[in-house]
Amino acid sequence: MSTHGVAIEVKDVTRVHEKGRTTLRVLDSVSFGVGAGEMVAVVGPSGSGKSTLMHLLGLLDRPTSGSIHLDGVDVAGLSGRKLAQIRNRRIGFVFQAHHLLPEHTALANVMMPVRLSGSPVRLAEDRARALLGAVGLEARLDHKPGELSGGEQQRVALARAMVMGPGLILADEPTGNLDPTTASGVFDLMLQLNTTLGSTLLVVTHSMELAELFPRKLRLAGGKVLEG
């Protein structure tokens, strides 16, 4: 499976959170671009706005001001329904918490985005089986999350993120709950699969060692984005 990476343009984006009488400016006039197919690590201390930025790029939140263009389209003016369609078909998410459905098998969890898109069940199953095989879980298809190790659960989550062949993959501390060896293996797998897909990849990580695996790094500090 291959896809076309999504080009990102962020211009003068500010995100302000209101907490009672307190105004917190999490992102302050942030501007940067990411080319289609680029692999970028986003680093910065806790509270620097990394997760806020990922939620904005993933269309899970809207900026207070400024614009975000995905493949040249200003997403700020799109309806909630259209944003949901883009999230399902063009964006894959991997989080620190795996967010797998505990009552469903690994295969059913990975099939879910394809089923939600209205595609035939057989297509969903074929794609899910292929990706679970690619992440080394062909023998664990019928196991539920509670029967899998943390590393195996994250590989299921990775397969689910990629099953629609998304043009943009956003990963927020995807290995934060894993031991260093397992984390390194998951990151290597993520980079390998993403190279095959050709999608754009942005990964938030606290680990500078893992960030060094990426050809480009963005650093968040004081609500601003800096290169390197």
Side-chain angles (χ1 to χ4, degrees):
M1 184 190 303
S2 63
T3 189
H4 167 66
V6 170
I8 301 168
E9 183 183 359
V10 175
K11 187 173 182 179
D12 297 327
V13 163
T14 295
R15 185 66 177 96
V16 174
H17 292 303
E18 303 285 349
K19 292 187 176 181
R21 296 182 179 179
T22 303
T23 298
L24 179 62
R25 189 176 292 265
V26 183
L27 298 175
D28 186 9
S29 298
V30 166
S31 296
F32 66 92
V34 177
E38 269 201 272
M39 294 187 289
V40 181
V42 181
V43 299
S46 296
S48 61
K50 300 187 303 296
S51 293
T52 296
L53 177 62
M54 298 297 262
H55 280 81
L56 293 174
L57 295 177
L59 312 184
L60 297 169
D61 193 10
R62 295 179 186 264
T64 305
S65 62
S67 65
I68 296 174
H69 288 74
L70 300 183
D71 279 341
V73 176
D74 186 354
V75 297
L78 300 180
S79 67
R81 181 177 180 180
K82 182 62 177 177
L83 293 177
Q85 288 178 344
I86 295 174
R87 282 196 301 269
N88 175 253
R89 297 174 184 174
R90 296 291 286 154
I91 303 175
F93 297 93
V94 186
F95 297 104
Q96 181 173 347
H98 315 300
H99 295 305
L100 299 176
L101 299 173
E103 69 275 16
H104 290 286
T105 64
L107 181 63
N109 267 284
V110 178
M111 287 173 61
M112 196 64 65
V114 190
R115 296 293 307 278
L116 290 173
S117 74
S119 298
V121 174
R122 184 54 186 268
L123 175 62
E125 184 172 341
D126 287 348
R127 285 188 182 179
R129 285 181 179 276
L131 272 169
L132 284 167
V135 300
L137 293 177
E138 58 276 353
R140 310 287 272 171
L141 302 180
D142 296 325
H143 288 70
K144 294 180 179 180
E147 301 169 321
L148 301 173
S149 69
E152 288 172 332
Q153 289 183 51
Q154 194 60 300
R155 281 186 277 162
V156 173
L158 180 57
R160 181 184 59 189
M162 294 185 165
V163 73
M164 290 292 289
L168 173 59
I169 297 171
L170 301 173
D172 192 352
E173 296 289 0
T175 58
N177 290 330
L178 305 178
D179 65 81
T181 300
T182 304
S184 180
V186 169
F187 254 100
D188 287 343
L189 179 61
M190 182 180 297
L191 294 172
Q192 175 187 337
L193 288 175
N194 191 69
T195 299
T196 302
L197 280 173
S199 51
T200 304
L201 173 64
L202 272 78
V203 176
V204 162
T205 178
H206 279 106
S207 170
M208 292 306 299
E209 180 181 356
L210 293 175
E212 289 300 326
L213 297 173
F214 288 77
R216 183 182 175 196
K217 289 173 284 297
L218 295 176
R219 179 175 177 78
L220 270 171
K224 301 290 187 180
V225 169
L226 309 172
E227 288 283 346

mmCIF file of all heavy atoms in Angstrom, residues 1-3 88-90 106-135 137-138 141 155-156 158-167 193 197:
data_model
loop_
_atom_site.group_PDB
_atom_site.id
_atom_site.type_symbol
_atom_site.label_atom_id
_atom_site.label_comp_id
_atom_site.label_asym_id
_atom_site.label_seq_id
_atom_site.Cartn_x
_atom_site.Cartn_y
_atom_site.Cartn_z
ATOM 1 N N MET A 1 0.851 -1.189 0.000
ATOM 2 C CA MET A 1 0.000 0.000 0.000
ATOM 3 C C MET A 1 0.887 1.241 0.000
ATOM 4 O O MET A 1 1.880 1.308 0.695
ATOM 5 C CB MET A 1 -0.892 -0.003 1.255
ATOM 6 C CG MET A 1 -1.891 1.150 1.324
ATOM 7 S SD MET A 1 -2.699 1.236 2.947
ATOM 8 C CE MET A 1 -3.412 -0.399 3.085
ATOM 9 N N SER A 2 0.570 2.226 -0.793
ATOM 10 C CA SER A 2 1.307 3.493 -0.787
ATOM 11 C C SER A 2 0.298 4.633 -0.783
ATOM 12 O O SER A 2 -0.875 4.438 -1.079
ATOM 13 C CB SER A 2 2.219 3.602 -2.009
ATOM 14 O OG SER A 2 1.463 3.601 -3.201
ATOM 15 N N THR A 3 0.774 5.825 -0.436
ATOM 16 C CA THR A 3 -0.140 6.950 -0.353
ATOM 17 C C THR A 3 0.614 8.226 -0.702
ATOM 18 O O THR A 3 1.808 8.194 -0.964
ATOM 19 C CB THR A 3 -0.747 7.046 1.062
ATOM 20 O OG1 THR A 3 -1.788 8.007 1.051
ATOM 21 C CG2 THR A 3 0.312 7.433 2.089
ATOM 22 N N ASN A 88 -10.749 10.594 9.269
ATOM 23 C CA ASN A 88 -10.890 9.157 9.030
ATOM 24 C C ASN A 88 -10.054 8.689 7.842
ATOM 25 O O ASN A 88 -9.413 7.642 7.885
ATOM 26 C CB ASN A 88 -12.360 8.801 8.814
ATOM 27 C CG ASN A 88 -12.558 7.331 8.441
ATOM 28 O OD1 ASN A 88 -12.858 7.023 7.294
ATOM 29 N ND2 ASN A 88 -12.390 6.442 9.398
ATOM 30 N N ARG A 89 -10.053 9.478 6.783
ATOM 31 C CA ARG A 89 -9.455 9.014 5.527
ATOM 32 C C ARG A 89 -8.019 9.457 5.299
ATOM 33 O O ARG A 89 -7.278 8.798 4.565
ATOM 34 C CB ARG A 89 -10.321 9.492 4.354
ATOM 35 C CG ARG A 89 -11.728 8.909 4.390
ATOM 36 C CD ARG A 89 -12.618 9.508 3.315
ATOM 37 N NE ARG A 89 -13.986 9.008 3.437
ATOM 38 C CZ ARG A 89 -15.010 9.439 2.697
ATOM 39 N NH1 ARG A 89 -14.802 10.362 1.772
ATOM 40 N NH2 ARG A 89 -16.227 8.940 2.871
ATOM 41 N N ARG A 90 -7.609 10.573 5.920
ATOM 42 C CA ARG A 90 -6.296 11.135 5.592
ATOM 43 C C ARG A 90 -5.343 11.256 6.772
ATOM 44 O O ARG A 90 -4.173 11.566 6.578
ATOM 45 C CB ARG A 90 -6.475 12.532 4.957
ATOM 46 C CG ARG A 90 -7.192 12.536 3.637
ATOM 47 C CD ARG A 90 -6.346 11.883 2.549
ATOM 48 N NE ARG A 90 -5.238 12.742 2.132
ATOM 49 C CZ ARG A 90 -4.103 12.282 1.606
ATOM 50 N NH1 ARG A 90 -3.905 10.985 1.490
ATOM 51 N NH2 ARG A 90 -3.152 13.121 1.224
ATOM 52 N N ALA A 106 -7.444 -7.870 18.221
ATOM 53 C CA ALA A 106 -6.488 -7.026 17.502
ATOM 54 C C ALA A 106 -6.968 -6.790 16.076
ATOM 55 O O ALA A 106 -6.924 -5.664 15.566
ATOM 56 C CB ALA A 106 -5.109 -7.677 17.504
ATOM 57 N N LEU A 107 -7.446 -7.849 15.426
ATOM 58 C CA LEU A 107 -7.920 -7.723 14.045
ATOM 59 C C LEU A 107 -9.096 -6.757 13.960
ATOM 60 O O LEU A 107 -9.126 -5.873 13.094
ATOM 61 C CB LEU A 107 -8.333 -9.095 13.505
ATOM 62 C CG LEU A 107 -8.838 -9.131 12.060
ATOM 63 C CD1 LEU A 107 -7.746 -8.696 11.094
ATOM 64 C CD2 LEU A 107 -9.347 -10.524 11.713
ATOM 65 N N ALA A 108 -10.066 -6.891 14.860
ATOM 66 C CA ALA A 108 -11.248 -6.019 14.836
ATOM 67 C C ALA A 108 -10.872 -4.569 15.125
ATOM 68 O O ALA A 108 -11.435 -3.644 14.538
ATOM 69 C CB ALA A 108 -12.284 -6.512 15.847
ATOM 70 N N ASN A 109 -9.912 -4.362 16.028
ATOM 71 C CA ASN A 109 -9.471 -2.992 16.329
ATOM 72 C C ASN A 109 -8.856 -2.325 15.107
ATOM 73 O O ASN A 109 -9.133 -1.157 14.825
ATOM 74 C CB ASN A 109 -8.453 -3.012 17.473
ATOM 75 C CG ASN A 109 -9.088 -2.812 18.844
ATOM 76 O OD1 ASN A 109 -9.456 -1.699 19.207
ATOM 77 N ND2 ASN A 109 -9.242 -3.896 19.580
ATOM 78 N N VAL A 110 -8.037 -3.050 14.364
ATOM 79 C CA VAL A 110 -7.386 -2.472 13.196
ATOM 80 C C VAL A 110 -8.384 -2.278 12.051
ATOM 81 O O VAL A 110 -8.273 -1.334 11.263
ATOM 82 C CB VAL A 110 -6.196 -3.349 12.752
ATOM 83 C CG1 VAL A 110 -5.541 -2.790 11.495
ATOM 84 C CG2 VAL A 110 -5.160 -3.439 13.874
ATOM 85 N N MET A 111 -9.383 -3.143 11.977
ATOM 86 C CA MET A 111 -10.408 -3.021 10.938
ATOM 87 C C MET A 111 -11.296 -1.789 11.128
ATOM 88 O O MET A 111 -11.890 -1.295 10.164
ATOM 89 C CB MET A 111 -11.310 -4.266 10.928
ATOM 90 C CG MET A 111 -10.668 -5.511 10.371
ATOM 91 S SD MET A 111 -11.737 -6.970 10.587
ATOM 92 C CE MET A 111 -13.197 -6.509 9.629
ATOM 93 N N MET A 112 -11.388 -1.281 12.358
ATOM 94 C CA MET A 112 -12.403 -0.297 12.711
ATOM 95 C C MET A 112 -12.416 0.950 11.808
ATOM 96 O O MET A 112 -13.490 1.355 11.320
ATOM 97 C CB MET A 112 -12.239 0.122 14.178
ATOM 98 C CG MET A 112 -13.445 0.839 14.756
ATOM 99 S SD MET A 112 -14.928 -0.232 14.809
ATOM 100 C CE MET A 112 -14.386 -1.475 15.994
ATOM 101 N N PRO A 113 -11.275 1.613 11.536
ATOM 102 C CA PRO A 113 -11.337 2.812 10.684
ATOM 103 C C PRO A 113 -11.865 2.522 9.284
ATOM 104 O O PRO A 113 -12.567 3.357 8.692
ATOM 105 C CB PRO A 113 -9.879 3.287 10.636
ATOM 106 C CG PRO A 113 -9.252 2.723 11.863
ATOM 107 C CD PRO A 113 -9.910 1.394 12.059
ATOM 108 N N VAL A 114 -11.528 1.355 8.734
ATOM 109 C CA VAL A 114 -12.000 1.004 7.394
ATOM 110 C C VAL A 114 -13.506 0.762 7.412
ATOM 111 O O VAL A 114 -14.233 1.185 6.506
ATOM 112 C CB VAL A 114 -11.254 -0.233 6.848
ATOM 113 C CG1 VAL A 114 -11.578 -0.439 5.372
ATOM 114 C CG2 VAL A 114 -9.745 -0.078 7.028
ATOM 115 N N ARG A 115 -13.978 0.107 8.466
ATOM 116 C CA ARG A 115 -15.420 -0.125 8.605
ATOM 117 C C ARG A 115 -16.172 1.199 8.732
ATOM 118 O O ARG A 115 -17.243 1.391 8.147
ATOM 119 C CB ARG A 115 -15.703 -0.997 9.837
ATOM 120 C CG ARG A 115 -15.151 -2.411 9.791
ATOM 121 C CD ARG A 115 -15.829 -3.259 8.716
ATOM 122 N NE ARG A 115 -17.268 -3.240 8.836
ATOM 123 C CZ ARG A 115 -17.970 -4.019 9.686
ATOM 124 N NH1 ARG A 115 -17.329 -4.864 10.495
ATOM 125 N NH2 ARG A 115 -19.281 -3.958 9.721
ATOM 126 N N LEU A 116 -15.594 2.144 9.518
ATOM 127 C CA LEU A 116 -16.248 3.436 9.719
ATOM 128 C C LEU A 116 -16.318 4.253 8.432
ATOM 129 O O LEU A 116 -17.186 5.108 8.277
ATOM 130 C CB LEU A 116 -15.517 4.235 10.798
ATOM 131 C CG LEU A 116 -15.644 3.705 12.236
ATOM 132 C CD1 LEU A 116 -14.734 4.483 13.169
ATOM 133 C CD2 LEU A 116 -17.091 3.773 12.712
ATOM 134 N N SER A 117 -15.399 3.977 7.506
ATOM 135 C CA SER A 117 -15.409 4.696 6.230
ATOM 136 C C SER A 117 -16.479 4.192 5.279
ATOM 137 O O SER A 117 -16.708 4.783 4.224
ATOM 138 C CB SER A 117 -14.040 4.571 5.548
ATOM 139 O OG SER A 117 -13.862 3.270 5.008
ATOM 140 N N GLY A 118 -17.144 3.080 5.656
ATOM 141 C CA GLY A 118 -18.183 2.519 4.802
ATOM 142 C C GLY A 118 -17.671 1.502 3.804
ATOM 143 O O GLY A 118 -18.432 1.017 2.954
ATOM 144 N N SER A 119 -16.392 1.153 3.877
ATOM 145 C CA SER A 119 -15.814 0.179 2.956
ATOM 146 C C SER A 119 -16.301 -1.230 3.297
ATOM 147 O O SER A 119 -16.690 -1.510 4.433
ATOM 148 C CB SER A 119 -14.286 0.221 3.019
ATOM 149 O OG SER A 119 -13.806 1.490 2.625
ATOM 150 N N PRO A 120 -16.268 -2.154 2.333
ATOM 151 C CA PRO A 120 -16.718 -3.534 2.570
ATOM 152 C C PRO A 120 -15.911 -4.223 3.669
ATOM 153 O O PRO A 120 -14.723 -3.936 3.854
ATOM 154 C CB PRO A 120 -16.494 -4.217 1.216
ATOM 155 C CG PRO A 120 -16.475 -3.115 0.217
ATOM 156 C CD PRO A 120 -15.888 -1.931 0.928
ATOM 157 N N VAL A 121 -16.544 -5.137 4.368
ATOM 158 C CA VAL A 121 -15.912 -5.854 5.468
ATOM 159 C C VAL A 121 -14.678 -6.617 4.987
ATOM 160 O O VAL A 121 -13.630 -6.634 5.655
ATOM 161 C CB VAL A 121 -16.903 -6.831 6.128
ATOM 162 C CG1 VAL A 121 -16.201 -7.674 7.185
ATOM 163 C CG2 VAL A 121 -18.063 -6.063 6.753
ATOM 164 N N ARG A 122 -14.780 -7.232 3.816
ATOM 165 C CA ARG A 122 -13.650 -8.031 3.312
ATOM 166 C C ARG A 122 -12.425 -7.150 3.074
ATOM 167 O O ARG A 122 -11.293 -7.543 3.373
ATOM 168 C CB ARG A 122 -14.044 -8.749 2.022
ATOM 169 C CG ARG A 122 -12.957 -9.684 1.461
ATOM 170 C CD ARG A 122 -12.521 -10.675 2.533
ATOM 171 N NE ARG A 122 -11.406 -11.478 2.117
ATOM 172 C CZ ARG A 122 -11.515 -12.661 1.522
ATOM 173 N NH1 ARG A 122 -12.731 -13.159 1.273
ATOM 174 N NH2 ARG A 122 -10.455 -13.355 1.193
ATOM 175 N N LEU A 123 -12.639 -5.958 2.535
ATOM 176 C CA LEU A 123 -11.530 -5.033 2.319
ATOM 177 C C LEU A 123 -10.897 -4.645 3.648
ATOM 178 O O LEU A 123 -9.668 -4.613 3.779
ATOM 179 C CB LEU A 123 -12.009 -3.786 1.583
ATOM 180 C CG LEU A 123 -10.971 -2.663 1.401
ATOM 181 C CD1 LEU A 123 -9.798 -3.152 0.561
ATOM 182 C CD2 LEU A 123 -11.609 -1.428 0.775
ATOM 183 N N ALA A 124 -11.741 -4.360 4.633
ATOM 184 C CA ALA A 124 -11.244 -3.990 5.960
ATOM 185 C C ALA A 124 -10.401 -5.115 6.553
ATOM 186 O O ALA A 124 -9.321 -4.887 7.100
ATOM 187 C CB ALA A 124 -12.413 -3.646 6.885
ATOM 188 N N GLU A 125 -10.896 -6.339 6.418
ATOM 189 C CA GLU A 125 -10.177 -7.477 6.994
ATOM 190 C C GLU A 125 -8.860 -7.728 6.264
ATOM 191 O O GLU A 125 -7.834 -7.993 6.897
ATOM 192 C CB GLU A 125 -11.040 -8.731 6.947
ATOM 193 C CG GLU A 125 -10.376 -9.932 7.612
ATOM 194 C CD GLU A 125 -11.287 -11.133 7.743
ATOM 195 O OE1 GLU A 125 -12.530 -10.945 7.659
ATOM 196 O OE2 GLU A 125 -10.763 -12.240 7.927
ATOM 197 N N ASP A 126 -8.878 -7.631 4.946
ATOM 198 C CA ASP A 126 -7.652 -7.863 4.175
ATOM 199 C C ASP A 126 -6.572 -6.842 4.544
ATOM 200 O O ASP A 126 -5.402 -7.196 4.733
ATOM 201 C CB ASP A 126 -7.951 -7.783 2.674
ATOM 202 C CG ASP A 126 -8.719 -8.994 2.159
ATOM 203 O OD1 ASP A 126 -8.824 -9.986 2.908
ATOM 204 O OD2 ASP A 126 -9.226 -8.936 1.020
ATOM 205 N N ARG A 127 -6.967 -5.569 4.644
ATOM 206 C CA ARG A 127 -5.998 -4.524 5.000
ATOM 207 C C ARG A 127 -5.457 -4.747 6.412
ATOM 208 O O ARG A 127 -4.262 -4.607 6.667
ATOM 209 C CB ARG A 127 -6.650 -3.148 4.912
ATOM 210 C CG ARG A 127 -6.858 -2.625 3.506
ATOM 211 C CD ARG A 127 -7.322 -1.178 3.578
ATOM 212 N NE ARG A 127 -7.585 -0.604 2.273
ATOM 213 C CZ ARG A 127 -8.010 0.629 2.087
ATOM 214 N NH1 ARG A 127 -8.211 1.420 3.139
ATOM 215 N NH2 ARG A 127 -8.232 1.104 0.878
ATOM 216 N N ALA A 128 -6.369 -5.063 7.342
ATOM 217 C CA ALA A 128 -5.964 -5.246 8.738
ATOM 218 C C ALA A 128 -5.020 -6.432 8.882
ATOM 219 O O ALA A 128 -4.015 -6.355 9.597
ATOM 220 C CB ALA A 128 -7.202 -5.431 9.617
ATOM 221 N N ARG A 129 -5.327 -7.537 8.220
ATOM 222 C CA ARG A 129 -4.451 -8.716 8.290
ATOM 223 C C ARG A 129 -3.064 -8.403 7.733
ATOM 224 O O ARG A 129 -2.038 -8.803 8.304
ATOM 225 C CB ARG A 129 -5.073 -9.879 7.514
ATOM 226 C CG ARG A 129 -6.244 -10.557 8.224
ATOM 227 C CD ARG A 129 -6.789 -11.726 7.415
ATOM 228 N NE ARG A 129 -7.889 -12.385 8.103
ATOM 229 C CZ ARG A 129 -7.736 -13.326 9.033
ATOM 230 N NH1 ARG A 129 -6.510 -13.749 9.346
ATOM 231 N NH2 ARG A 129 -8.783 -13.872 9.610
ATOM 232 N N ALA A 130 -3.018 -7.675 6.621
ATOM 233 C CA ALA A 130 -1.738 -7.348 5.997
ATOM 234 C C ALA A 130 -0.873 -6.492 6.922
ATOM 235 O O ALA A 130 0.333 -6.739 7.079
ATOM 236 C CB ALA A 130 -1.977 -6.634 4.670
ATOM 237 N N LEU A 131 -1.482 -5.496 7.560
ATOM 238 C CA LEU A 131 -0.700 -4.600 8.421
ATOM 239 C C LEU A 131 -0.299 -5.279 9.723
ATOM 240 O O LEU A 131 0.806 -5.058 10.225
ATOM 241 C CB LEU A 131 -1.488 -3.320 8.706
ATOM 242 C CG LEU A 131 -1.282 -2.230 7.652
ATOM 243 C CD1 LEU A 131 -2.274 -1.105 7.823
ATOM 244 C CD2 LEU A 131 0.138 -1.676 7.710
ATOM 245 N N LEU A 132 -1.175 -6.097 10.285
ATOM 246 C CA LEU A 132 -0.794 -6.823 11.497
ATOM 247 C C LEU A 132 0.336 -7.802 11.196
ATOM 248 O O LEU A 132 1.210 -8.034 12.038
ATOM 249 C CB LEU A 132 -2.008 -7.542 12.086
ATOM 250 C CG LEU A 132 -2.992 -6.621 12.813
ATOM 251 C CD1 LEU A 132 -4.308 -7.342 13.093
ATOM 252 C CD2 LEU A 132 -2.391 -6.100 14.113
ATOM 253 N N GLY A 133 0.326 -8.357 9.991
ATOM 254 C CA GLY A 133 1.463 -9.179 9.587
ATOM 255 C C GLY A 133 2.727 -8.361 9.459
ATOM 256 O O GLY A 133 3.819 -8.790 9.864
ATOM 257 N N ALA A 134 2.599 -7.141 8.929
ATOM 258 C CA ALA A 134 3.761 -6.264 8.739
ATOM 259 C C ALA A 134 4.397 -5.857 10.063
ATOM 260 O O ALA A 134 5.606 -5.605 10.122
ATOM 261 C CB ALA A 134 3.356 -5.026 7.951
ATOM 262 N N VAL A 135 3.589 -5.786 11.133
ATOM 263 C CA VAL A 135 4.127 -5.413 12.446
ATOM 264 C C VAL A 135 4.427 -6.642 13.308
ATOM 265 O O VAL A 135 4.663 -6.532 14.501
ATOM 266 C CB VAL A 135 3.179 -4.438 13.203
ATOM 267 C CG1 VAL A 135 2.990 -3.162 12.411
ATOM 268 C CG2 VAL A 135 1.837 -5.093 13.509
ATOM 269 N N LEU A 137 2.482 -9.360 14.050
ATOM 270 C CA LEU A 137 1.430 -9.868 14.940
ATOM 271 C C LEU A 137 0.465 -10.816 14.231
ATOM 272 O O LEU A 137 -0.685 -10.948 14.643
ATOM 273 C CB LEU A 137 0.652 -8.692 15.546
ATOM 274 C CG LEU A 137 1.422 -7.797 16.515
ATOM 275 C CD1 LEU A 137 0.554 -6.638 16.977
ATOM 276 C CD2 LEU A 137 1.927 -8.590 17.726
ATOM 277 N N GLU A 138 0.948 -11.484 13.173
ATOM 278 C CA GLU A 138 0.049 -12.375 12.435
ATOM 279 C C GLU A 138 -0.467 -13.526 13.301
ATOM 280 O O GLU A 138 -1.537 -14.082 13.032
ATOM 281 C CB GLU A 138 0.749 -12.936 11.195
ATOM 282 C CG GLU A 138 2.032 -13.704 11.445
ATOM 283 C CD GLU A 138 3.247 -12.810 11.563
ATOM 284 O OE1 GLU A 138 3.142 -11.595 11.315
ATOM 285 O OE2 GLU A 138 4.317 -13.330 11.934
ATOM 286 N N LEU A 141 -3.830 -12.210 15.944
ATOM 287 C CA LEU A 141 -5.006 -11.547 15.381
ATOM 288 C C LEU A 141 -6.234 -11.654 16.272
ATOM 289 O O LEU A 141 -7.027 -10.716 16.371
ATOM 290 C CB LEU A 141 -5.336 -12.128 13.995
ATOM 291 C CG LEU A 141 -4.252 -12.063 12.921
ATOM 292 C CD1 LEU A 141 -4.775 -12.688 11.629
ATOM 293 C CD2 LEU A 141 -3.827 -10.624 12.688
ATOM 294 N N ARG A 155 1.853 -1.831 18.765
ATOM 295 C CA ARG A 155 1.962 -2.236 17.369
ATOM 296 C C ARG A 155 0.579 -2.385 16.732
ATOM 297 O O ARG A 155 0.393 -2.070 15.557
ATOM 298 C CB ARG A 155 2.756 -3.534 17.251
ATOM 299 C CG ARG A 155 4.262 -3.314 17.347
ATOM 300 C CD ARG A 155 5.029 -4.571 17.074
ATOM 301 N NE ARG A 155 5.130 -5.423 18.241
ATOM 302 C CZ ARG A 155 5.438 -6.716 18.211
ATOM 303 N NH1 ARG A 155 5.643 -7.314 17.051
ATOM 304 N NH2 ARG A 155 5.532 -7.403 19.310
ATOM 305 N N VAL A 156 -0.392 -2.842 17.516
ATOM 306 C CA VAL A 156 -1.776 -2.880 17.021
ATOM 307 C C VAL A 156 -2.254 -1.455 16.736
ATOM 308 O O VAL A 156 -2.877 -1.182 15.696
ATOM 309 C CB VAL A 156 -2.713 -3.571 18.041
ATOM 310 C CG1 VAL A 156 -4.177 -3.442 17.603
ATOM 311 C CG2 VAL A 156 -2.350 -5.037 18.193
ATOM 312 N N LEU A 158 -0.450 1.095 16.003
ATOM 313 C CA LEU A 158 0.279 1.588 14.833
ATOM 314 C C LEU A 158 -0.356 1.056 13.545
ATOM 315 O O LEU A 158 -0.546 1.799 12.580
ATOM 316 C CB LEU A 158 1.741 1.169 14.929
ATOM 317 C CG LEU A 158 2.668 1.579 13.796
ATOM 318 C CD1 LEU A 158 2.651 3.096 13.619
ATOM 319 C CD2 LEU A 158 4.079 1.097 14.078
ATOM 320 N N ALA A 159 -0.701 -0.227 13.540
ATOM 321 C CA ALA A 159 -1.369 -0.813 12.373
ATOM 322 C C ALA A 159 -2.706 -0.136 12.122
ATOM 323 O O ALA A 159 -3.069 0.153 10.972
ATOM 324 C CB ALA A 159 -1.552 -2.318 12.573
ATOM 325 N N ARG A 160 -3.442 0.137 13.198
ATOM 326 C CA ARG A 160 -4.739 0.812 13.055
ATOM 327 C C ARG A 160 -4.563 2.205 12.470
ATOM 328 O O ARG A 160 -5.345 2.646 11.620
ATOM 329 C CB ARG A 160 -5.439 0.902 14.420
ATOM 330 C CG ARG A 160 -6.813 1.571 14.372
ATOM 331 C CD ARG A 160 -7.406 1.712 15.764
ATOM 332 N NE ARG A 160 -6.535 2.506 16.628
ATOM 333 C CZ ARG A 160 -6.716 2.639 17.947
ATOM 334 N NH1 ARG A 160 -7.727 2.022 18.539
ATOM 335 N NH2 ARG A 160 -5.889 3.383 18.657
ATOM 336 N N ALA A 161 -3.519 2.924 12.901
ATOM 337 C CA ALA A 161 -3.280 4.278 12.395
ATOM 338 C C ALA A 161 -2.977 4.267 10.904
ATOM 339 O O ALA A 161 -3.260 5.242 10.201
ATOM 340 C CB ALA A 161 -2.131 4.927 13.159
ATOM 341 N N MET A 162 -2.402 3.184 10.414
ATOM 342 C CA MET A 162 -1.948 3.139 9.027
ATOM 343 C C MET A 162 -2.898 2.409 8.088
ATOM 344 O O MET A 162 -2.668 2.398 6.875
ATOM 345 C CB MET A 162 -0.565 2.489 8.974
ATOM 346 C CG MET A 162 0.513 3.317 9.657
ATOM 347 S SD MET A 162 2.170 2.602 9.448
ATOM 348 C CE MET A 162 3.200 3.991 9.925
ATOM 349 N N VAL A 163 -3.960 1.819 8.631
ATOM 350 C CA VAL A 163 -4.793 0.927 7.821
ATOM 351 C C VAL A 163 -5.518 1.646 6.691
ATOM 352 O O VAL A 163 -5.827 1.045 5.660
ATOM 353 C CB VAL A 163 -5.786 0.157 8.723
ATOM 354 C CG1 VAL A 163 -6.910 1.072 9.228
ATOM 355 C CG2 VAL A 163 -6.348 -1.061 7.996
ATOM 356 N N MET A 164 -5.799 2.933 6.821
ATOM 357 C CA MET A 164 -6.472 3.682 5.758
ATOM 358 C C MET A 164 -5.487 4.272 4.747
ATOM 359 O O MET A 164 -5.887 4.979 3.825
ATOM 360 C CB MET A 164 -7.313 4.810 6.361
ATOM 361 C CG MET A 164 -8.554 4.333 7.119
ATOM 362 S SD MET A 164 -9.798 3.600 6.051
ATOM 363 C CE MET A 164 -10.396 5.047 5.176
ATOM 364 N N GLY A 165 -4.197 3.959 4.932
ATOM 365 C CA GLY A 165 -3.202 4.568 4.053
ATOM 366 C C GLY A 165 -3.200 6.077 4.172
ATOM 367 O O GLY A 165 -3.243 6.788 3.173
ATOM 368 N N PRO A 166 -3.140 6.618 5.412
ATOM 369 C CA PRO A 166 -3.294 8.064 5.608
ATOM 370 C C PRO A 166 -2.129 8.841 5.028
ATOM 371 O O PRO A 166 -0.986 8.374 4.991
ATOM 372 C CB PRO A 166 -3.334 8.206 7.138
ATOM 373 C CG PRO A 166 -2.530 7.048 7.632
ATOM 374 C CD PRO A 166 -2.842 5.925 6.689
ATOM 375 N N GLY A 167 -2.409 10.063 4.594
ATOM 376 C CA GLY A 167 -1.364 10.942 4.098
ATOM 377 C C GLY A 167 -0.602 11.622 5.219
ATOM 378 O O GLY A 167 0.471 12.177 4.995
ATOM 379 N N LEU A 193 7.627 1.506 8.254
ATOM 380 C CA LEU A 193 6.301 1.467 7.630
ATOM 381 C C LEU A 193 5.984 2.787 6.945
ATOM 382 O O LEU A 193 5.396 2.816 5.861
ATOM 383 C CB LEU A 193 5.225 1.146 8.677
ATOM 384 C CG LEU A 193 5.190 -0.278 9.201
ATOM 385 C CD1 LEU A 193 4.149 -0.385 10.319
ATOM 386 C CD2 LEU A 193 4.855 -1.273 8.093
ATOM 387 N N LEU A 197 4.875 3.681 3.118
ATOM 388 C CA LEU A 197 3.624 4.359 2.783
ATOM 389 C C LEU A 197 3.856 5.669 2.040
ATOM 390 O O LEU A 197 3.071 6.048 1.173
ATOM 391 C CB LEU A 197 2.825 4.658 4.056
ATOM 392 C CG LEU A 197 2.007 3.526 4.669
ATOM 393 C CD1 LEU A 197 1.432 3.970 6.007
ATOM 394 C CD2 LEU A 197 0.879 3.098 3.742
#
